[in-house]
Amino acid sequence: MTPASGPGGSTRVPVSVPGLRERKQGGDRIVALTCYDAGFATCLESASIDLALVGDSLGMVVQGRASTLAVTLDDIVYHSRAVARGLDATLLVADMPFMSYRDVPTALATATRLMAEGDAAMVKLEGADWVLEIIDALARRHIPVCAHLGLTPQSVHRFGGFRVQGRSSVDAERLLADARAVADAGADLLVLECMPAELAAQITRAIAIPTIGIGAGAACDGQILVLHDVLGVTPGRRPRFTRDFLAGSGSVIAALAAYRDAVRSGEFPSAEHAY
Ligand code: KIV
C-alpha cells in the first residue's frame, strides 16, 4: 500500500475502512479519539491514532452546552474540514447531528456534505430500530457507517440523563439484538457507550464488525475517548471511564501516545473504568 503523503508528510499506512475489520480479525486493537480542529489533528496524527471522530460532543466540550442536541450540520462540516487538514493516515469519521438523519433523503444529503465538504471517510449515527433503514440506505450507496449503541447522547431526554444502559437483562438482550441488526444493515463499525463490560464483550463476540468502546470495558475491539478528557481539560468531575493521560506525560503528543499504548496493550481501560 502507498504510504500517506498529506500535509504532515506521514509515512504511516493509511487506516482504511476494510482495514478496520482486518484489525478485529487479527486482534489488533483500534485506537480512536475525538478531535475538533487541525492543530490537535496533527497531534493525533503524530501519535499514530487510528481514527479521529469529529463528534457532536463538540457541543459540550467546545461550545459549552449541556447536551449535543443543538449541534448543527454546519458545525460538524466546519470542524471536520479543519480536522481533515491536520490528518494524513488517521481515518476521519464525522458525526451526523441530531435529526440530520431523520429520514433517508435527509440522511443522504447529510452524509454527502460530511464526505464531500467535511472530507470524512465514514459517518456516525446513533441507535437502531428506525435507524436501520438509514444505515441500509447509506451502506447501499457505499457510504461507510459507524453505528452507536448504549448511552446514545442524542437520546439523553428519553434516558432521563447520561445514564449507563443495558443493566437489566431485558435491556441487555435488546442491545445485543440491536448490535446484530446494525451489523446486518451494513454498518462497518459500532461504538458501544456506557454499558456493562460483560455485555459489550458479548456483543463484540457476536458480530463480525469491530466494536469501539467508551465506558464499555476492555473486551471491545478498540477504544475511543473524548480528547478533552484524555488531556484533563474537562471541567468538574471527569466521567469514571476516562483517564487524564496528560498528567505526568510532559506534552500533548506524549499523552496521546501513552493513551495509544495503553489501549493497544490492553492496560486501558481497567476494571476501575468499567461498569
Ligand atoms: O460525539 C462523540 O464524541 C461521540 C463519542 C463519545 C463516541 O459520540
Side-chain angles (χ1 to χ4, degrees):
M1 195 180 296
T2 318
S5 58
S10 168
T11 52
R12 292 168 61 207
V13 174
V15 178
S16 70
V17 175
L20 295 175
R21 202 181 278 231
E22 288 161 21
R23 296 278 293 268
K24 178 179 179 112
Q25 287 157 357
D28 184 10
R29 289 192 183 88
I30 299 161
V31 186
L33 278 172
T34 68
C35 192
Y36 315 100
D37 68 31
F40 280 107
T42 62
C43 296
L44 264 69
E45 186 66 45
S46 298
S48 296
I49 302 299
D50 299 311
L51 185 153
L53 168 68
V54 181
D56 59 3
S57 52
L58 72 85
M60 300 173 78
V61 298
V62 177
Q63 298 173 343
R65 301 177 189 275
S67 79
T68 62
L69 299 179
V71 174
T72 66
L73 179 56
D74 283 344
D75 290 337
I76 301 278
V77 168
Y78 172 89
H79 287 277
S80 184
R81 195 187 286 147
V83 170
R85 291 190 192 112
L87 298 183
D88 282 324
T90 297
L91 189 79
L92 176 54
V93 182
D95 239 339
M96 302 179 87
F98 181 57
M99 283 298 127
S100 72
Y101 50 98
R102 60 183 172 270
D103 53 43
V104 169
T106 309
L108 294 177
T110 297
T112 303
R113 284 200 64 198
L114 292 175
M115 297 182 80
E117 296 175 44
D119 256 338
M122 178 183 274
V123 298
K124 182 171 87 56
L125 77 188
E126 298 181 6
D129 191 14
W130 62 271
V131 180
L132 298 173
E133 180 195 12
I134 311 294
I135 296 173
D136 175 74
L138 294 168
R140 281 181 194 279
R141 288 161 180 83
H142 293 188
I143 296 170
V145 177
C146 177
H148 184 163
L149 296 173
L151 171 47
T152 44
Q154 291 174 16
S155 304
V156 61
H157 295 305
R158 171 56 79 90
F159 296 149
F162 293 98
R163 297 175 197 282
V164 177
Q165 301 295 303
R167 285 201 193 269
S168 73
S169 56
V170 172
D171 287 351
E173 281 304 318
R174 184 184 44 78
L175 281 170
L176 179 58
D178 285 350
R180 289 197 166 106
V182 297
D184 288 348
D188 299 280
L189 194 62
L190 172 58
V191 168
L192 298 176
E193 179 163 353
C194 290
M195 64 176 65
E198 182 43 48
L199 173 59
Q202 206 184 345
I203 290 173
T204 299
R205 288 191 298 270
I207 60 176
I209 61 171
T211 61
I212 307 289
I214 172 165
C220 296
D221 300 305
Q223 298 291 328
I224 186 164
L225 284 178
V226 169
L227 182 62
H228 290 53
D229 290 336
V230 168
L231 299 179
V233 176
T234 315
R237 201 164 61 89
R238 248 193 347 244
R240 167 185 173 148
F241 52 82
T242 67
R243 187 200 286 177
D244 177 356
F245 283 88
L246 186 62
S249 282
S251 75
V252 169
I253 293 174
L256 302 188
Y259 166 68
R260 176 202 66 208
D261 292 346
V263 171
R264 285 197 185 146
S265 68
E267 188 245 312
F268 179 84
S270 60
E272 71 184 282
H273 305 111
Y275 297 101

